[in-house]
Amino acid sequence: DGGITQSPKYLFRKEGQNVTLSCEQNLNHDAMYWYRQDPGQGLRLIYYSQIVNDFQKGDIAEGYSVSREKKESFPLTVTSAQKNPTAFYLCASSIPGLNSPLHFGNGTRLTVT
Amino acid sequence: EDKVVQSPLSLVVHEGDTVTLNCSYEVTNFRSLLWYKQEKKAPTFLFMLTSSGIEKKSGRLSSILDKKELFSILNITATQTGDSAVYLCAVEGQGAQKLVFGQGTRLTINP
């Protein structure tokens, strides 16, 4: 079955530590996205990638970094520079340019104390 | 700046009622509007609307787009407790290659 796998489901970190969230897809989609969801604010775009070895900043990229070395994988690193990292993080993928909807993973809930 | 506003933010109804969720938007070079349902984790796709006035329907759910007035509605008839979820609206602009989401409407169906 094709899909998007995010791991871990829950992550706890101390303030000042970098942490990497995993996102893997076997849908053969070229485009991948990272969104952050906070209560009452909907989904906000952090980074997206249309193709391997290329990615663009979204609306709230500060304090985050990504890489896209393989088509299937788009890991997100939350750095110590991110002021309010505690949130629910959603990874998604799609076929770009074909009016195709985003497919989402089940998310990672990150808590930083 | 592209913007999506959903209303109401929260809605509580009884099983069997009909509900209408609203989504208004401002986007440069509109390409599509999408509705998603989010129960606990991953949002699941409901509808994609690109043309004005054409209703999309799936069982008890339906949606329509008005490109002149820049809004869409999502209707759910004969609601069931399983319809309880957050409903997300998102729009894509031409060439933007990314979706802008609204805040979501939290719908609660009481038995």
Side-chain angles (χ1 to χ4, degrees), chain A residues 35 37 42 99 101-102 105-106, chain B residues 31 36 38 41-42 48 99 102:
Chain A
Y35 283 89
Q37 189 173 29
N99 262 1
L102 292 182
N106 279 330
Chain B
R31 182 172 177 168
Y36 285 85
Q38 185 179 25
K41 297 173 183 175
M48 175 184 283
L99 291 180

Side-chain angles (χ1 to χ4, degrees), chain A residues 10-106:
Chain A
Y10 301 95
L11 194 49
F12 297 88
R13 278 294 182 271
K14 295 282 189 193
E15 203 173 304
Q17 292 179 331
N18 290 358
V19 61
T20 297
L21 282 57
S22 169
C23 178
E24 304 277 331
Q25 54 102 356
N26 59 5
L27 299 165
N28 202 33
H29 286 172
D30 284 309
M32 297 187 74
Y33 308 79
W34 274 105
Y35 283 89
R36 169 181 172 141
Q37 189 173 29
D38 295 282
Q41 293 198 45
L43 275 63
R44 291 183 291 164
L45 182 65
I46 304 172
Y47 267 98
Y48 63 104
S49 167
Q50 298 289 308
I51 199 165
V52 174
N53 291 324
D54 188 45
F55 47 82
Q56 284 78 42
K57 292 182 180 180
D59 301 315
I60 55 165
E62 187 175 345
Y64 298 98
S65 66
V66 293
S67 63
R68 187 85 189 278
E69 295 175 6
K70 297 187 298 181
K71 187 175 184 176
E72 308 79 35
S73 178
F74 192 39
L76 173 74
T77 296
V78 184
T79 75
S80 55
Q82 168 48 233
K83 298 273 189 287
N84 296 298
T86 294
F88 186 54
Y89 290 88
L90 283 162
C91 178
S93 70
S94 73
I95 303 171
L98 282 182
N99 262 1
S100 75
L102 292 182
H103 295 260
F104 285 90
N106 279 330

Side-chain angles (χ1 to χ4, degrees), chain B residues 50-97:
Chain B
T50 56
S51 301
S52 215
I54 298 176
E55 186 182 48
K56 291 273 180 99
K57 206 168 163 60
S58 175
R60 295 176 294 103
L61 279 67
S62 63
S63 183
I64 198 159
L65 174 68
D66 186 327
K67 286 166 80 171
K68 187 179 173 189
E69 300 297 330
L70 306 183
F71 78 90
S72 173
I73 60 171
L74 175 69
N75 273 325
I76 309 175
T77 59
T79 52
Q80 301 170 359
T81 53
D83 295 327
S84 295
V86 174
Y87 290 84
L88 298 165
C89 173
V91 294
E92 183 182 17
Q94 193 80 23
Q97 297 175 331

Side-chain angles (χ1 to χ4, degrees), chain B:
Chain B
E1 187 182 323
D2 297 343
K3 190 176 172 185
V4 177
V5 177
Q6 292 184 244
S7 65
L9 292 181
S10 180
L11 185 57
V12 181
V13 300
H14 288 292
E15 204 167 17
D17 288 351
T18 292
V19 298
T20 298
L21 309 185
N22 303 294
C23 175
S24 63
Y25 63 89
E26 295 171 25
V27 65
T28 305
N29 297 323
F30 175 87
R31 182 172 177 168
S32 61
L33 183 146
L34 294 88
W35 284 96
Y36 285 85
K37 177 183 181 182
Q38 185 179 25
E39 292 180 77
K40 287 227 163 68
K41 297 173 183 175
T44 53
F45 171 72
L46 294 175
F47 298 113
M48 175 184 283
L49 302 151
T50 56
S51 301
S52 215
I54 298 176
E55 186 182 48
K56 291 273 180 99
K57 206 168 163 60
S58 175
R60 295 176 294 103
L61 279 67
S62 63
S63 183
I64 198 159
L65 174 68
D66 186 327
K67 286 166 80 171
K68 187 179 173 189
E69 300 297 330
L70 306 183
F71 78 90
S72 173
I73 60 171
L74 175 69
N75 273 325
I76 309 175
T77 59
T79 52
Q80 301 170 359
T81 53
D83 295 327
S84 295
V86 174
Y87 290 84
L88 298 165
C89 173
V91 294
E92 183 182 17
Q94 193 80 23
Q97 297 175 331
K98 59 187 175 98
L99 291 180
V100 177
F101 281 82
Q103 321 95 299
T105 293
R106 180 171 294 279
L107 176 64
T108 303
I109 311 295
N110 287 328

